[in-house]
Structures are given as structure tokens and as C-alpha cells.
Amino acid sequence: MNKATRQIVMATGNSGKMREIVELMAGTGVEIVAQNRLGVIPTEETGATFVANALQKARNAAKQTGLPAIADDSGLIVAALGGDPGVRSARYAGPQATDAENINKLLDALHGVASRGAHFHCAAVFVRDAADEHPLVAEGIWRGEISAASHGSGGFGYDPVFFDPELGKTGAELTRSEKNSRSHRGQAIRDLCRLLLAECNGSGAAR
Ligand code: IMP
């Protein structure tokens, strides 16, 4: 991104993700615009990795708007399940699955299993244009374990069964700022913002 760039499109419909990145980029002179405000039609997520899916979303938004774009993709990885649900986390119990259905499927799959270690993984990417061959890529990991039952009412997705042993709480029992400071997404977005700021300031860290 050169210094003349003023707008970046964020390839998400998730207002929580938008809020976080807008806060992190405050004061840089860069305006982050949600893709739905620009009429972007979202793309399918068919990649085999979080990075591939994030790039697919970012390139799609850049192609339709002509602007640089940011996207992220994340999911839950459970060691005892060979890495499932992984990139299929949102669709684990079926294409239109609700969070409750995904959680029930996960708890059933882990019924009687003693080894319950898991982590969330997030990839956050920035492309200068749809064909950018040197995207900025940042990744974050949040380690924990899958509890036997749901606890808490905050967050989304698998948060009620994702237990953070250091905090002694599930993701759904954390405040928004507690979760942002620990989470895979918070880490990846903060790192991506650092790379972006370095690029804006011309330090050459980007390429
Ligand atoms: P996305 O790519 O960030 O939209 O995440 C894909 C899916 O992974 C979500 O639909 C959730 O099921 C799961 N997931 C990702 N991040 C989190 C999180 O922070 N808490 C709980 N579930 C998450």
C-alpha cells in the first residue's frame, strides 16, 4: 500500500471484527470500510487452509472494489479429532449449522475422550490489489481445552465450550476486551496492523 491509499475494504460482515480493526488502525489516516457497505458479493470459502480462505475473501473484495483489502479466516482445531473441525468449523454439523448444533456435534465426538486439548487458529491477510503476489500475512493461536458442557453466554461459535486454563473461564465467560487480548483473532489482527503500519510508514517491512 502506498501513502496515498486512504481506504481499505474489510472482507467481513462481522461487526465485532470490524470494530476491532477500526480501533487498531485509529490515527493512521486509513479508513476501514466494511465490504457490505460497498456492495461486495461474498465469495465461497473453498480453501484447504485458513490463509488460503482469507486470501480468497480479500482478493474477492479487492477485485469488486478496486481497493486494497483485509480478510481473516479462523477455526477450531481439536487434536483428538485429527484437527477437526478445522477450516470447516462454521459448517461442522452441516452447511447451515447453528452454533448449538456444531457444539453438540463436537461434544458427542469427544464423549468419553480424556485428551481434550484444542486451539483456535486465525489467519489475517492484506492484499494491495486482487492480483497481489506479496500479501501481508499474520497468524494467531489461542490454546485451551474443550469442556464437557457449555458455560457462559458471551462470544459466539464454540466459545461456550472452549476453556482457557490460564483464566479458568470459557471464551463465553470473558469480557470482549479479555477475549480480544487472548484470542487468535486479536493476535493475528494486531500483528497484521503492525505490518500495515510499517508499510504505511515506508519502513519496507512489507515486502
Ligand atoms: P471465521 O472464519 O472467523 O468466520 O470463523 C469460522 C468459524 O470458526 C466460526 O463460525 C466459529 O464456529 C469458529 N470460530 C472462529 N473464531 C471463533 C471464536 O473466537 N470463538 C468461537 N468460535 C470461533
Side-chain angles (χ1 to χ4, degrees):
M1 184 174 60
N2 63 46
K3 283 187 178 175
T5 303
R6 282 288 164 263
Q7 283 192 322
I8 298 176
V9 57
M10 173 84 188
T12 183
N14 180 318
S15 54
K17 290 182 190 175
M18 270 302 294
R19 197 181 310 115
E20 188 170 15
I21 193 152
V22 166
E23 282 167 11
L24 287 162
M25 292 297 285
T28 61
V30 172
E31 185 193 359
I32 311 286
V33 189
Q35 67 174 8
N36 54 358
R37 269 184 53 203
L38 300 172
V40 172
I41 299 162
T43 179
E44 296 279 307
E45 294 173 31
T46 55
T49 65
F50 298 115
V51 172
N53 278 334
L55 281 172
Q56 207 170 6
K57 291 187 255 188
R59 291 193 197 288
N60 176 64
K63 189 171 179 186
Q64 292 185 46
T65 60
L67 292 171
I70 290 174
D72 75 327
D73 193 65
S74 55
L76 178 68
I77 293 163
V78 181
L81 301 179
D84 277 353
V87 289
R88 292 177 45 253
S89 290
R91 314 178 291 277
Y92 186 42
Q96 308 295 332
T98 63
D99 287 345
E101 288 167 344
N102 285 333
I103 285 177
N104 285 340
K105 179 166 176 178
L106 180 66
L107 294 183
D108 283 351
L110 287 175
H111 187 73
V113 176
S115 157
R116 304 183 74 92
H119 66 270
F120 281 116
H121 187 130
C122 177
V125 304
F126 169 78
V127 296
R128 298 160 191 84
D129 55 57
D132 191 346
E133 289 180 5
H134 303 279
L136 303 183
V137 177
E139 296 183 76
I141 281 176
W142 186 18
R143 294 190 191 283
E145 47 201 59
I146 305 303
S147 54
S150 292
H151 299 280
S153 55
F156 72 101
Y158 298 92
D159 278 338
V161 293
F162 185 79
F163 182 76
D164 182 325
E166 277 181 38
L167 298 181
K169 292 176 182 174
T170 68
E173 294 175 308
L174 302 180
T175 64
R176 227 171 57 209
S177 67
E178 276 177 325
K179 185 177 167 190
N180 280 344
S181 73
R182 303 280 299 166
S183 82
H184 50 310
R185 186 173 306 99
Q187 293 172 43
I189 296 282
R190 277 191 295 277
D191 261 12
L192 187 72
C193 286
R194 273 192 281 276
L195 294 174
L196 256 174
L197 290 176
E199 173 146 330
C200 287
N201 294 332
S203 78
R207 283 184 192 249

